[in-house]
Amino acid sequence: MSKVRYGIIGVGNMGSAHAGTIFHGGIKGAELTAVCDGLPDKREWARQQWPGVAVFESTEAMLASGLVDAVIVASPHYSHPEEAIKAFSAGVHVLVEKPAGVYAKQVREMNEAAAASGKTFGIMYNQRMNPLYRKLRELISSGELGEIRRTNWIITNWYRSQAYYDSGSWRATWSGEGGGVLINQCPHQLDLWPWTIGMMPTRIRAFCQFGKHRNIEVENDVTAYAEYANGATGVFITSTSDAPGTNRLEVTGDRGKIVIEDGKMTFWRLRQSETEFNASNKIPFGTPEVWKVEIPDQGPSPEHAGIMQNFTDAILHGSELIAPGEEGINGLLISNAIHLSTWTDDWVELPFDEELHYEELSKRIASSTFRKSEPAAPAMPVDLSRTF
């Protein structure tokens, strides 16, 4: 195979943007050969946008055409696992948009289908391409920061007005999206959190507020507290109604502290580990010597195009995936645990009872305000530089 023939499942904002990137030659070794969408207006729009590209009404028809080697799943959240499983069954490689799904139970089924197919499976975690977070992961994995003791992430610059929520009946509903800020805006941070520090929480206690300052039914203000097997703790705070918001990640280890904020990384590095200092220090108010290190600019991030190029290279040349699809469940487990902790008003141990989570989610879906009563507008490409 000299080129990967791509099909796009869902010509919404993200699907149309990915299609455009491939169609215009943005990914080496890739070509756009097909797209599919259930809405006639979107299919007609696609024909005008990408001349010569086959347009299908259904995923099944596109997969049966023999025109695609790989698909990008960019359909609504709930359908991500379902569409991916169809593609794996047809012997096609799959790159799925975030989130991997809405609840862990369905994502496990997708992961099992991927493993059984033997096909390349990736997820569009474009922030794994961000040099800042790649550098953070490197500093932690190399031991430069020492053993992790604490993480704090305040990510409240996801401002969304009521007009945003009113722009679609599916938005911010349990039936339409399956959640709010955790499932829509924060999947990247919920992925980066365990990916950068190299470990998952063992238990979580969380407090979600639903429709705070907004007329919506899902969570838009969250505070979560996590504990880890090594004794470390973490706090995750997010909101869509703070103005101005903050995006600040702090990771404290035995050898110092790293802060990422305003696109910059600062490393407060201890000359001697805190453990060693504490064992030898005899001065009552003594503190470890610390050096403030401004980490040099790591350069621009290739974002979504970087993930698509890596995925294409994995198919063609066996390159290692930066964002394996199987890892999409990690961030989702955290968001599911946050929801479940709030719903049960209790701690949630990981792994948690996924059936219980699904039962609680189903109760909220049953009473959701979302009903499929209005057609979606034709797709317009999204500005990928503004999706994080």
Side-chain angles (χ1 to χ4, degrees):
M1 185 189 300
S2 60
K3 275 198 171 184
V4 178
R5 300 173 301 161
Y6 275 94
I8 308 295
I9 300 176
V11 190
N13 286 336
M14 297 308 300
S16 59
H18 300 327
T21 298
I22 298 170
F23 183 79
H24 293 294
I27 308 300
K28 287 178 60 177
E31 65 175 320
L32 182 69
T33 53
V35 300
C36 68
D37 199 288
L39 294 171
D41 288 348
K42 288 190 176 182
R43 294 198 297 275
E44 182 54 36
W45 182 84
R47 291 185 182 98
Q48 296 173 13
Q49 289 293 310
W50 309 303
V53 173
V55 179
F56 296 92
E57 181 176 353
S58 70
T59 302
E60 291 84 353
M62 184 175 75
L63 293 172
S65 71
L67 292 174
V68 300
D69 305 306
V71 296
I72 298 178
V73 178
S75 53
H77 299 161
Y78 276 107
S79 66
H80 287 181
E82 175 188 355
E83 298 291 0
I85 290 170
K86 290 177 188 175
F88 287 130
S89 297
V92 169
H93 306 285
V94 175
L95 177 58
V96 66
E97 253 296 346
K98 60 84 180 171
V102 174
Y103 53 96
K105 180 182 175 183
Q106 65 170 179
V107 174
R108 288 197 188 282
E109 295 172 356
M110 175 174 65
N111 286 357
E112 290 167 3
S117 74
K119 294 299 177 179
T120 304
F121 179 31
I123 186 166
M124 193 68 78
Y125 278 147
N126 58 285
Q127 284 305 303
R128 290 195 182 190
M129 302 301 302
N130 189 316
L132 279 172
Y133 299 109
R134 293 175 69 83
K135 187 65 174 179
L136 174 63
R137 176 178 162 90
E138 174 198 322
L139 290 170
I140 292 173
S141 64
S142 69
E144 196 71 27
L145 192 59
E147 184 179 30
I148 301 302
R149 292 186 168 184
R150 186 187 311 279
T151 66
N152 291 281
W153 203 334
I154 302 175
I155 173 70
T156 58
N157 61 343
W158 292 119
Y159 185 79
R160 298 293 186 270
S161 68
Q162 188 64 45
Y164 165 82
Y165 292 118
D166 292 344
S167 67
S169 64
W170 56 275
R171 289 193 185 279
T173 62
W174 292 112
S175 183
E177 286 197 279
V181 63
L182 292 173
I183 207 75
N184 190 322
Q185 284 81 33
C186 281
H188 289 300
Q189 288 79 26
L190 293 174
D191 169 62
L192 291 171
W193 187 9
W195 183 69
T196 53
I197 67 174
M199 56 185 181
M200 286 282 288
T202 55
R203 68 174 190 158
I204 288 176
R205 183 68 176 97
F207 304 88
C208 296
Q209 293 178 286
F210 305 95
K212 185 176 183 179
H213 308 305
R214 299 289 184 270
N215 182 27
I216 59 174
E217 63 189 43
V218 295
E219 85 287 346
N220 65 329
D221 194 290
V222 177
T223 299
Y225 173 80
E227 293 182 349
Y228 295 86
N230 72 339
T233 61
V235 174
F236 188 86
I237 297 171
T238 189
S239 170
T240 62
S241 59
D242 285 15
T246 297
N247 184 356
R248 178 184 174 91
L249 172 61
E250 290 189 13
V251 183
T252 301
D254 185 49
R255 299 198 62 90
K257 177 179 72 173
I258 294 176
V259 174
I260 296 178
E261 187 173 22
D262 296 330
K264 297 179 181 178
M265 178 185 291
T266 305
F267 185 2
W268 281 269
R269 190 180 190 280
L270 299 184
R271 183 177 184 183
Q272 181 183 30
S273 79
E274 192 283 326
T275 301
E276 294 170 352
F277 173 84
N278 186 58
S280 61
N281 175 60
K282 304 301 180 184
I283 304 172
F285 291 97
T287 58
E289 182 178 346
V290 61
W291 305 329
K292 184 179 179 181
V293 182
E294 299 288 350
I295 304 298
D297 186 348
Q298 301 296 300
S301 174
E303 299 288 327
H304 300 81
I307 291 291
M308 286 189 281
Q309 187 64 67
N310 172 247
F311 184 74
T312 302
D313 291 342
I315 295 171
L316 294 177
H317 312 299
S319 301
E320 182 179 355
L321 285 174
I322 291 169
E326 294 83 358
E327 295 181 8
I329 198 169
N330 294 337
L332 186 66
L333 287 171
I334 296 175
S335 67
N336 282 183
I338 290 173
H339 277 149
L340 189 58
S341 176
T342 300
W343 294 336
T344 60
D345 194 22
D346 201 357
W347 285 92
V348 170
E349 305 278 342
L350 280 80
F352 55 84
D353 185 340
E354 294 176 9
E355 289 292 345
L356 175 61
H357 171 268
Y358 181 62
E359 289 173 12
E360 290 294 330
L361 175 62
S362 296
K363 293 176 186 176
R364 287 151 183 86
I365 293 172
S367 60
S368 176
T369 61
F370 172 61
R371 299 292 180 269
K372 292 184 179 179
S373 59
E374 61 185 55
M380 294 297 290
V382 68
D383 180 356
L384 295 181
S385 68
R386 299 179 61 83
T387 59
F388 177 68

